[in-house]
Amino acid sequence: MTPPRTQQIPVVVLAGFLGSGKTTLLNHLLRNRAGTRIGVIVNDFGSIEIDAMTVAGQVGSTVSLGNGCLCCAVDASELDTFLETLTRPSARLDLIVIEASGLAEPQELVRMLLASENPHILYGGLVEVVDAAEFDGVRERHPEIDRHLAVADLVVLNKTDRVGEAEQERLRAAVAELSGPAAVISAVHGRIDPELLFDPALRPDGEEKTRQLTFEDLLREEAGDDHDDHPGHLHAAYESVDFTSDVPLDPRRFIAFLDSRPEGLYRIKGFADFGAGDRDNKYALHAVGRFLRFVPQPWARGEQRLTQLVLIGAGIDAEALRAGLTACRAEPGESPEPEGASADGLDTADAERAMWGVLRYVQQEPGPEDVREEAAAEA
């Protein structure tokens, strides 16, 4: 029997103009999914080719990619219906990727996700794929690309093997100027490290050992022994910073850190301990681009109370990030234990007031309570 779902499924929007390499990047993710079950929603009409498979471009069609991976061709107006299907426990998916039409307005898909009342999904970021060799021409023909880049969380400057080093630096600077705080990474043939977008799924022992041949297996077989599309070669494109503290974080300082996080910092994940601000719960943190969400979770009996975070980005200063997080730790006496509060409860009340900034990012009920929606609306 499948256990009830306790975690929300990240939904990543993959966008970019025709020919930028979106499908190539998607195929790369499917090849290197490390056991992660991926649902793919193709927002397009006509024939959509996903490598060796062709998905008939009829609205409402669904094709199994094997081992729980699905591909749906949908009209954006029916997005919620397919999200409902893909988030059922029986689908057992870990990630959903929406491949937007080459002429789609990605911010509209983002708005739909943020406004969705589906309690099982979590916004996983907007990834904009840019063709390095054709960027100037595409921008001339489609000036709306500036608007698309402005709301991206991660920009993949693809096909960099087709331009020289100096031209690549010029393009990176141009794209970075348009995309603001978004992380910008270079790629060839859409090869980015999948861990930029999702964490490898952990399966019970034996679950992946006895199974039918999957779409991932077919792609690997087709690639042959000389295939060099291994994620181990991709880590130079980004940095991962770990932070652990056995001292609780000051919630006001931590929110200030998150509000001013530097350009290029794409994902933050982990758990935060706010000490006297909430003695009963640790706070799971999910941040992607400008999106931020906290989820309180009860401490387990006997669990060591730690803040454990992982920060992922491109062109980031690891030491500066660690120093900034260290400065968020509460100083002795700043977060008094509840039993140390004064008779009128002012100390405890102050600790609770300090949590207001954190609680703004706790979703009380399904809805678009998200700072990212405002940024998308203004673009």
Side-chain angles (χ1 to χ4, degrees), residues 51-164:
D51 217 288
M53 297 186 64
T54 299
V55 179
Q58 300 298 315
V59 173
S61 67
T62 303
V63 175
S64 174
L65 302 184
N67 201 34
C69 294
L70 302 173
C71 186
C72 313
V74 305
D75 184 342
S77 65
E78 296 188 348
L79 182 60
D80 262 335
T81 301
F82 275 82
L83 287 173
E84 180 64 31
T85 300
L86 294 179
T87 56
R88 289 174 183 166
S90 58
R92 304 175 69 200
L93 295 180
D94 305 297
L95 177 75
I96 297 172
V97 178
I98 301 176
E99 184 185 2
S101 161
L103 298 177
E105 288 289 340
Q107 60 265 43
E108 293 303 321
L109 291 173
V110 171
R111 282 198 189 99
M112 292 176 70
L113 290 175
L114 295 176
S116 174
E117 295 185 357
N118 187 325
H120 303 302
I121 65 170
L122 184 66
Y123 178 61
L126 168 59
V127 179
E128 183 77 15
V129 184
V130 173
D131 183 339
E134 302 293 336
F135 176 69
D136 292 331
V138 169
R139 193 179 179 199
E140 184 177 342
R141 294 190 302 274
H142 301 287
E144 60 269 30
I145 193 173
D146 291 11
R147 184 170 66 251
H148 297 183
L149 287 167
V151 295
D153 298 300
L154 174 68
V155 180
V156 178
L157 187 61
N158 197 26
K159 305 185 184 181
T160 53
D161 57 322
R162 296 178 55 193
V163 299

Side-chain angles (χ1 to χ4, degrees), residues 319-332:
E319 291 307 312
L321 287 173
R322 288 194 183 95
L325 287 167
T326 299
C328 293
R329 295 190 299 184
E331 298 295 334

Side-chain angles (χ1 to χ4, degrees), residues 187-202:
V188 176
H189 302 303
R191 296 173 186 171
I192 67 171
D193 195 318
E195 290 192 40
L196 270 168
L197 304 182
F198 60 85
D199 301 323
L202 298 177

